[in-house]
Amino acid sequence: MGAAPEPFACIGVMRSLPPDLLDRPAVDAAIVVASHYLDDAVAGATRLSDRADAEALHDFRVAVRRLRVTLRAYPGLHEGIPRKHRRRLRKLGRATNTIRDAEAQLTWFRDRSPRFTLSQRAALVALGARLRGRLRRAQAHGHGKLQRRFAKLEPRIRHALTSLQSNAGPHEPPFRTIAGAALVKYMVDLRKRLDDRGGGATSAADLHATGIAAMRLRYLLEPVERDIARGAWLIDQLRRLQDLLGGLTDAHELGADLRRAAELDQPVGIAAATNVLETDVTRFLTTLRA
C-alpha cells in the first residue's frame, strides 16, 4: 500500500486574480475570488507545521476570514456553498483565537517592556511564564488540529466552488454590479456603526462588531482595489481603523486577564501593567475619534 498523500499536496501554485475580473459574469468572478482565498488558506495551513514560521497562523487566519467574507457577501456563492461548509469554516476560524490571543498578549508585554522598571519587570515574570506556557500548549495541540480539520473541509469547499455554474447566460450581470452593491452595503453598515457611537464605542461587543465591519469592507475592496479611485488609500484607512479597533478589543481581553492575575501575582507588576494598558486605551480612543 502506498504512502498517504501529504495534506493539500494536490494544490498548485496560487494564481493571481485576472485583470478583467470586474467584467466577468458575476458568479464566475466571485468563484475566482473565493478560489484565490482558498488557495491562500491552503498555503497558510501547510506552513503551520513549521513552528519557526511566526506568520503562518496569521496568514492562515486572514485567508480563512477573507474566504468567509467572500462566501457571505456575494449572491450565488452564499446560496451555492452548503451551509454546513460555511458553518465549519466559521468554527475553524474561531478555533485559531486561543493561539492568536496568547501571541498578542506576549507581544504586548514584549513591546512595552521598556516602559516598565526593573522591579516591575521582575514582578511580571510569573505572569509572563504563564502566558508563554499557555501559548506553547495551544500551539502543541492547536496547529495540528487546525491542519487536520482544514484538510477535511478544503476539498469539500473546492468541490462546491467547482460545481457552481452560472446559469443566467448572457443576461447575467458583470461582477462589477454585485461587487459594487456589496461594497455599498458593507460601507453603509460600517458608517452606521461609527455614526451611532460617534467613533467612540467602548464596550467589547461594540468594538468587536465595528472591527468586523471594517474588516469585511476592506476584504471586499482588496480584489477590486486597482479599479477604484484611491483604492489603495481606502484600504490603508480601513486597515488602520481595523488595527485601532483590534487593539481596543485586545485591551479588553488583557484587562480581564490582568484582573484575574491580581490574585496570583505581585500587585506592583499588575498595577504597572494596568497603568500602561490604560494609557494605550486612551491613545487608541483619541485616535479612533479623530
Side-chain angles (χ1 to χ4, degrees):
M1 189 176 195
E6 291 294 322
F8 326 120
C10 63
I11 303 303
V13 177
M14 183 191 71
R15 61 191 180 280
S16 298
L17 292 174
D20 64 341
L21 184 71
L22 287 177
D23 296 318
R24 292 192 174 196
V27 176
D28 291 347
I31 291 171
V32 169
V33 176
S35 298
H36 178 95
Y37 291 146
L38 185 58
D39 289 346
D40 282 353
V42 167
T46 302
R47 290 163 51 204
L48 289 174
S49 299
D50 183 1
R51 295 293 177 84
D53 190 338
E55 298 299 318
L57 180 70
H58 171 268
D59 292 348
F60 176 69
R61 277 171 56 87
V62 168
V64 168
R65 293 169 90 174
R66 283 174 171 148
L67 176 59
R68 287 188 59 215
V69 169
T70 301
L71 297 181
R72 172 191 176 101
Y74 297 131
L77 293 191
H78 186 74
E79 298 85 354
I81 303 300
R83 183 179 179 183
K84 62 182 179 181
H85 294 347
R86 291 185 279 111
R87 184 171 60 248
R88 289 170 183 168
L89 193 65
R90 181 182 71 246
K91 290 181 178 179
L92 183 68
R94 290 178 177 175
T96 66
N97 290 345
T98 300
I99 303 175
R100 183 266 170 198
D101 291 347
E103 288 179 343
Q105 291 189 1
L106 281 171
T107 298
W108 187 90
F109 277 102
R110 182 180 66 246
D111 292 347
R112 288 154 183 77
S113 179
R115 294 163 66 177
F116 298 118
T117 66
L118 288 175
S119 60
Q120 289 169 346
R121 285 198 288 269
L124 289 167
V125 167
L127 176 58
R130 286 202 305 276
L131 290 176
R132 286 190 293 274
R134 181 193 304 174
L135 177 59
R136 284 194 297 269
R137 290 190 297 272
Q139 289 175 332
H141 301 290
H143 282 183
K145 188 175 181 179
L146 288 171
Q147 285 182 315
R148 290 189 296 273
R149 289 174 63 179
F150 184 65
K152 293 180 180 179
L153 180 59
E154 181 271 331
R156 297 174 183 176
I157 293 178
R158 192 174 297 276
H159 176 73
L161 288 172
T162 303
S163 300
L164 279 177
Q165 296 294 328
S166 174
N167 56 12
H171 301 294
E172 183 179 356
F175 183 57
R176 66 176 66 250
T177 302
I178 67 163
L183 287 172
V184 170
K185 174 183 176 181
Y186 283 82
M187 178 275 293
V188 169
D189 177 54
L190 175 60
R191 181 175 179 175
K192 184 177 186 302
R193 291 180 184 279
L194 292 174
D195 287 348
D196 286 349
R197 299 168 182 84
T202 55
S203 76
D206 282 347
L207 289 170
H208 181 69
T210 308
I212 291 295
M215 176 200 72
R216 288 172 176 164
L217 181 57
R218 173 189 160 197
Y219 289 167
L220 290 176
L221 270 171
E222 287 174 337
V224 297
E225 169 191 342
R226 62 193 171 202
D227 297 294
I228 293 180
R230 304 184 74 188
W233 179 86
L234 289 169
I235 288 173
D236 182 64
Q237 295 300 305
L238 287 168
R239 182 184 296 110
R240 292 175 60 192
L241 176 60
Q242 189 180 344
D243 287 346
L244 283 171
L245 292 164
L248 286 165
T249 300
D250 288 344
H252 273 281
E253 296 294 330
L254 180 56
D257 280 352
L258 288 175
R259 289 189 290 274
R260 288 189 290 269
E263 302 177 1
L264 303 171
D265 297 298
Q266 298 182 39
V268 64
I270 300 302
T274 300
N275 288 336
V276 171
L277 184 63
E278 290 175 351
T279 300
D280 282 355
V281 169
T282 299
R283 176 170 53 84
F284 283 148
L285 287 174
T286 299
T287 305
L288 179 61
R289 293 188 181 103

Coordinates of all heavy atoms in Angstrom, one line a residue, residues 89-121:
L89 N -16.4 26.3 8.4 CA -15.3 27.3 8.2 C -15.3 28.4 9.2 O -14.2 28.8 9.7 CB -15.5 28.0 6.8 CG -14.4 28.8 6.2 CD1 -13.2 27.9 5.9 CD2 -14.8 29.5 4.9
R90 N -16.5 28.8 9.7 CA -16.6 29.8 10.8 C -16.0 29.2 12.1 O -15.2 29.9 12.8 CB -18.0 30.2 11.0 CG -18.2 31.2 12.1 CD -19.6 31.6 12.4 NE -20.4 30.5 13.0 CZ -21.4 29.8 12.4 NH1 -21.7 30.1 11.2 NH2 -22.0 28.9 13.1
K91 N -16.3 28.0 12.4 CA -15.8 27.3 13.6 C -14.2 27.2 13.5 O -13.5 27.3 14.5 CB -16.4 26.0 13.8 CG -17.9 26.1 14.2 CD -18.5 24.7 14.4 CE -19.9 24.8 14.9 NZ -20.5 23.4 15.0
L92 N -13.8 26.9 12.3 CA -12.3 26.7 12.1 C -11.6 28.1 12.4 O -10.6 28.1 13.0 CB -12.0 26.3 10.7 CG -10.6 26.0 10.3 CD1 -10.0 24.8 11.0 CD2 -10.4 25.8 8.8
G93 N -12.2 29.1 11.9 CA -11.6 30.5 12.2 C -11.6 30.8 13.6 O -10.6 31.3 14.2
R94 N -12.7 30.4 14.3 CA -12.7 30.7 15.8 C -11.7 29.8 16.5 O -11.3 30.2 17.6 CB -14.2 30.5 16.3 CG -15.2 31.5 15.8 CD -16.6 31.2 16.2 NE -17.5 32.3 15.8 CZ -18.8 32.2 16.0 NH1 -19.3 31.2 16.6 NH2 -19.6 33.2 15.6
A95 N -11.4 28.7 16.0 CA -10.5 27.8 16.7 C -9.1 28.3 16.7 O -8.3 27.8 17.5 CB -10.5 26.4 16.0
T96 N -8.8 29.3 15.9 CA -7.5 29.9 15.9 C -7.3 31.0 17.0 O -6.2 31.5 17.2 CB -7.1 30.6 14.6 OG1 -8.0 31.7 14.3 CG2 -7.3 29.6 13.4
N97 N -8.5 31.4 17.6 CA -8.4 32.5 18.6 C -7.5 32.3 19.8 O -6.9 33.3 20.2 CB -9.9 32.9 19.0 CG -10.7 33.4 17.9 OD1 -10.2 33.9 16.9 ND2 -12.0 33.4 18.1
T98 N -7.5 31.1 20.3 CA -6.8 30.9 21.6 C -5.3 31.1 21.3 O -4.6 31.8 22.1 CB -7.0 29.5 22.1 OG1 -8.4 29.3 22.4 CG2 -6.2 29.2 23.3
I99 N -4.8 30.6 20.2 CA -3.3 30.8 19.9 C -3.1 32.3 19.6 O -2.1 32.8 20.1 CB -2.9 29.9 18.7 CG1 -3.2 28.4 19.0 CG2 -1.4 30.1 18.4 CD1 -2.9 27.5 17.8
R100 N -3.9 32.9 18.8 CA -3.7 34.2 18.4 C -3.7 35.2 19.6 O -2.9 36.1 19.7 CB -4.8 34.6 17.4 CG -4.6 36.1 16.8 CD -5.4 37.0 17.6 NE -5.1 38.4 17.3 CZ -5.4 39.4 18.0 NH1 -6.0 39.3 19.2 NH2 -5.1 40.7 17.7
D101 N -4.7 35.0 20.5 CA -4.8 35.8 21.7 C -3.5 35.7 22.6 O -3.1 36.7 23.1 CB -6.0 35.5 22.5 CG -7.3 35.9 21.8 OD1 -7.2 36.6 20.8 OD2 -8.4 35.4 22.2
A102 N -3.0 34.5 22.8 CA -1.8 34.3 23.6 C -0.6 35.0 22.9 O 0.2 35.6 23.6 CB -1.6 32.8 23.8
E103 N -0.5 34.9 21.6 CA 0.6 35.5 20.9 C 0.5 37.1 21.1 O 1.5 37.7 21.3 CB 0.5 35.2 19.4 CG 0.9 33.8 19.1 CD 0.8 33.4 17.6 OE1 0.2 34.2 16.9 OE2 1.4 32.4 17.2
A104 N -0.8 37.6 21.0 CA -1.0 39.0 21.1 C -0.6 39.5 22.4 O 0.0 40.6 22.6 CB -2.4 39.4 20.7
Q105 N -0.9 38.8 23.5 CA -0.6 39.3 24.8 C 0.9 39.2 25.1 O 1.5 40.1 25.7 CB -1.4 38.4 25.9 CG -2.9 38.7 25.8 CD -3.6 38.0 27.0 OE1 -3.0 37.4 27.8 NE2 -4.9 38.2 27.0
L106 N 1.6 38.2 24.6 CA 3.0 38.1 24.8 C 3.7 39.2 24.0 O 4.7 39.9 24.5 CB 3.6 36.8 24.3 CG 3.4 35.6 25.3 CD1 3.7 34.3 24.7 CD2 4.2 35.9 26.6
T107 N 3.2 39.5 22.8 CA 3.8 40.6 22.0 C 3.6 42.0 22.7 O 4.5 42.8 22.7 CB 3.1 40.6 20.6 OG1 3.4 39.4 20.0 CG2 3.6 41.8 19.8
W108 N 2.4 42.1 23.3 CA 2.1 43.4 24.1 C 3.2 43.6 25.2 O 3.7 44.7 25.3 CB 0.7 43.3 24.7 CG 0.3 44.6 25.3 CD1 -0.4 45.7 24.7 CD2 0.5 45.0 26.7 NE1 -0.6 46.7 25.6 CE2 -0.1 46.3 26.8 CE3 1.1 44.4 27.8 CZ2 -0.1 47.0 28.0 CZ3 1.1 45.1 29.0 CH2 0.5 46.4 29.1
F109 N 3.4 42.6 26.0 CA 4.4 42.7 27.1 C 5.8 42.9 26.5 O 6.6 43.7 27.1 CB 4.3 41.5 28.0 CG 3.3 41.5 29.0 CD1 2.1 40.8 28.8 CD2 3.4 42.3 30.1 CE1 1.1 40.9 29.8 CE2 2.4 42.4 31.1 CZ 1.2 41.7 30.9
R110 N 6.1 42.2 25.5 CA 7.5 42.4 24.9 C 7.7 43.8 24.4 O 8.7 44.4 24.6 CB 7.7 41.3 23.8 CG 9.1 41.4 23.2 CD 9.3 40.4 22.1 NE 8.5 40.7 20.9 CZ 7.5 39.9 20.5 NH1 7.2 38.7 21.2 NH2 6.8 40.2 19.5
D111 N 6.7 44.3 23.6 CA 6.9 45.6 23.0 C 6.9 46.7 24.1 O 7.5 47.8 23.8 CB 5.7 45.9 22.0 CG 5.8 45.0 20.8 OD1 6.9 44.4 20.6 OD2 4.8 44.9 20.0
R112 N 6.2 46.5 25.2 CA 6.1 47.6 26.2 C 7.1 47.4 27.4 O 7.1 48.1 28.3 CB 4.7 47.7 26.7 CG 3.8 48.3 25.7 CD 2.3 47.9 25.8 NE 1.5 48.4 24.8 CZ 1.4 47.9 23.5 NH1 2.2 46.9 23.2 NH2 0.7 48.5 22.6
S113 N 8.0 46.4 27.3 CA 8.9 46.1 28.3 C 9.8 47.3 28.7 O 10.0 47.6 29.9 CB 9.9 45.0 27.9 OG 10.8 44.7 28.9
P114 N 10.2 48.2 27.8 CA 11.0 49.4 28.2 C 10.2 50.4 29.0 O 10.8 51.2 29.7 CB 11.3 50.0 26.8 CG 11.3 48.9 25.8 CD 10.2 48.0 26.3
R115 N 8.9 50.2 29.0 CA 8.1 51.2 29.8 C 7.9 50.7 31.3 O 7.3 51.4 32.1 CB 6.7 51.3 29.2 CG 6.8 52.0 27.8 CD 5.6 51.8 27.0 NE 4.4 52.5 27.5 CZ 3.2 52.5 26.9 NH1 3.1 51.9 25.7 NH2 2.2 53.1 27.4
F116 N 8.5 49.5 31.6 CA 8.5 49.0 33.0 C 9.8 49.2 33.6 O 10.9 49.1 33.0 CB 8.1 47.6 33.0 CG 6.7 47.3 32.5 CD1 6.5 46.5 31.4 CD2 5.6 47.8 33.1 CE1 5.2 46.2 30.9 CE2 4.3 47.6 32.6 CZ 4.1 46.8 31.5
T117 N 9.8 49.5 34.9 CA 11.1 49.5 35.7 C 11.6 48.1 35.9 O 10.9 47.1 35.7 CB 10.9 50.2 37.0 OG1 10.0 49.3 37.9 CG2 10.3 51.6 36.9
L118 N 12.8 47.9 36.3 CA 13.4 46.6 36.6 C 12.6 45.9 37.6 O 12.3 44.7 37.5 CB 14.9 46.8 37.1 CG 15.9 47.2 36.0 CD1 17.2 47.4 36.6 CD2 16.0 46.1 34.9
S119 N 12.2 46.6 38.7 CA 11.4 45.9 39.7 C 10.0 45.5 39.2 O 9.5 44.4 39.5 CB 11.2 46.8 40.9 OG 10.5 48.0 40.6
Q120 N 9.4 46.3 38.3 CA 8.1 45.9 37.8 C 8.3 44.7 36.8 O 7.4 43.8 36.8 CB 7.6 47.1 37.0 CG 7.1 48.2 37.9 CD 6.8 49.5 37.2 OE1 7.1 49.7 36.0 NE2 6.1 50.5 37.9
R121 N 9.3 44.7 36.0 CA 9.5 43.6 35.1 C 9.7 42.3 35.9 O 9.3 41.2 35.6 CB 10.7 43.8 34.2 CG 10.4 44.8 33.1 CD 11.4 44.7 32.0 NE 12.7 45.2 32.3 CZ 13.1 46.5 32.1 NH1 12.3 47.3 31.6 NH2 14.3 46.9 32.5

